[in-house]
Amino acid sequence: MTDLLMKYEKLKGEAARIENEYLSRRRITRLYSKEQLKNPWGVDLYLLLDLDMYRTQKIPKDILSHVVKVKKYFYHPDLPEGSNEAFVLVKMANEILGDPRLRLIYNSNFFDDAIPEDRIYYSDEFFHVFGECFERNGKFSVRQPVPQLKPNDDIKSVEEFYEFWSNFKSWRTYENPDEFYKMNLQDRSRYTMNHQEQMKQSRNKDILRIKKLVQIAKKRDPRIGKSIVQQVMEMKVSEWSDQEIATLKRLLMLFNKTSKNKWEVITEKLVEITGTKRSVDEVMKKVQEIGKK
C-alpha cells in the first residue's frame, strides 16, 4: 500500500469541509452498486476520475496519470471507505480512457439511446425534451458544430436544422466492448474485419433510431407542425364511438358478400351515416380489432 500512498497535503477549515462535501457527493461507491462497478461500460468513468471537462477533449497523459494515482489512494481497499471494486475500476478506467480506440468504444457505449415518445408536447416541453435529446446525440456528429433546437429560429434555420439531422453523419463505433476489451492486440486489429456484419446491423439500427427521432420531432415541432388544438382534435376523431362501431358492424353484415370494392363501399357508407371521416385503412384495422374480441 505504501507505493500507492502519495503525499497529499490536506486542506483545512472551510476549504476542507467544502472539499469533503464535494468528494462525498461524487464518491462512485454511493452512485453505483458493487455489481454495477464490475462493468466499466456502464459506469461514468469521467466522473470516477473527476475528468468531466475532458468528455469531448483529449486527456493529457500527465493529468490522467495524476488523477489515477489520486483515485487509487482514494478508493484503496485498506482505507475505511475504500472499495475493491472501485479500486479495480480506477485501473480499468486508466486503460480505457488512455487508449484512443477503447475510449472511442466506451464513449459510444456509455450513452442513453432513448428518444422522446410520439405524443403531444406543449411548446416549452417540446424544446426542453427534444433539445436535450438532439444535443445528447450531437456528440456523435462528424460535422461540428451541431445546430441547436431553438424556439425562436426563423423558418430557414428550422429547415437547415432538420436538413442537418436528416443527413446525420456519425462517428459512433459499434464494437462489443467486453469482447473487444478482453482481446489481445493482434485480435483487436482484426476485429472490424471479423465482425463486419454484426457492426453493420448495429449501425443500421442506430441510423433508424436517429431517423425516428427526426420524424417525431418534425411531427411535434410547434414551429412547423400542427397546433396542440389540432393534434387533440385529431386524437379525439381517431377514437371510435360506440355508435360508429355499431354502425360498422351492421354494414359488415349488409355488405359481407360484396366482393368488388367492398371496403371502399363500407367506408363510404360509414362516413355518410356517422359524419366522421375515416379512411379505408382505418376501417379495415377496426374490423380486425373487432374480430379479435
Side-chain angles (χ1 to χ4, degrees), residues 194-210:
N194 295 334
H195 296 77
Q196 286 184 359
E197 188 59 34
Q198 176 187 336
M199 293 175 70
K200 182 180 178 181
Q201 289 177 4
S202 297
R203 184 179 296 106
N204 289 339
K205 183 179 179 181
D206 202 35
I207 290 172
L208 290 175
R209 183 182 65 85
I210 294 295

Side-chain angles (χ1 to χ4, degrees), residues 44-58:
D44 190 341
L45 300 183
Y46 294 99
L47 184 146
L48 170 70
L49 300 182
D50 286 329
L51 292 174
D52 305 64
M53 67 180 70
Y54 292 102
R55 289 183 186 276
T56 59
Q57 300 176 30
K58 184 178 180 180

Side-chain angles (χ1 to χ4, degrees), residues 267-281:
T267 302
E268 184 180 345
K269 292 294 183 182
L270 179 68
V271 173
E272 183 181 327
I273 295 170
T274 63
T276 302
K277 189 175 181 180
R278 296 290 181 188
S279 67
V280 174
D281 288 339

Side-chain angles (χ1 to χ4, degrees), residues 84-247:
N84 185 62
E85 290 79 14
F87 182 77
V88 171
L89 187 62
V90 169
K91 293 192 287 186
M92 295 179 74
N94 180 39
E95 185 179 356
I96 292 170
L97 298 185
D99 180 283
R101 188 166 183 185
L102 283 174
R103 187 184 178 192
L104 195 68
I105 293 172
Y106 171 78
N107 287 342
S108 296
N109 281 273
F110 185 71
F111 180 73
D112 180 7
D113 275 328
I115 62 173
E117 61 180 312
D118 185 5
R119 62 172 176 82
I120 296 174
Y121 293 86
Y122 287 101
S123 183
D124 290 347
E125 182 188 19
F126 171 83
F127 289 106
H128 172 73
V129 173
F130 283 84
E132 185 278 329
C133 189
F134 278 114
E135 183 177 356
R136 175 163 31 95
N137 283 275
K139 80 170 191 175
F140 294 123
S141 179
V142 172
R143 291 185 290 166
Q144 295 287 342
V146 177
Q148 301 296 305
L149 191 68
K150 300 176 183 177
N152 298 320
D153 276 346
D154 56 35
I155 191 63
K156 182 181 178 182
S157 298
V158 173
E159 290 174 351
E160 289 175 349
F161 175 86
Y162 285 114
E163 178 69 19
F164 177 93
W165 282 98
S166 295
N167 297 282
F168 186 68
K169 304 296 181 185
S170 173
W171 56 257
R172 193 176 188 182
T173 186
Y174 301 95
E175 295 92 340
N176 180 299
D178 275 326
E179 186 179 355
F180 187 87
Y181 180 77
K182 294 173 183 176
M183 288 179 172
N184 57 44
L185 292 176
Q186 188 175 11
D187 288 338
R188 285 181 181 180
S189 66
R190 295 195 294 261
Y191 185 93
T192 302
M193 181 178 66
N194 295 334
H195 296 77
Q196 286 184 359
E197 188 59 34
Q198 176 187 336
M199 293 175 70
K200 182 180 178 181
Q201 289 177 4
S202 297
R203 184 179 296 106
N204 289 339
K205 183 179 179 181
D206 202 35
I207 290 172
L208 290 175
R209 183 182 65 85
I210 294 295
K211 285 185 176 180
K212 185 177 180 181
L213 168 63
V214 175
Q215 182 183 26
I216 296 173
K218 289 179 75 173
K219 179 181 177 181
R220 300 301 179 181
D221 193 329
R223 300 168 300 178
I224 58 175
K226 297 175 181 177
S227 68
I228 290 180
V229 174
Q230 288 175 307
Q231 293 181 56
V232 171
M233 290 302 294
E234 286 185 357
M235 184 180 292
K236 288 182 178 179
V237 169
S238 67
E239 296 174 355
W240 286 72
S241 66
D242 293 339
Q243 180 191 356
E244 268 192 291
I245 295 173
T247 303

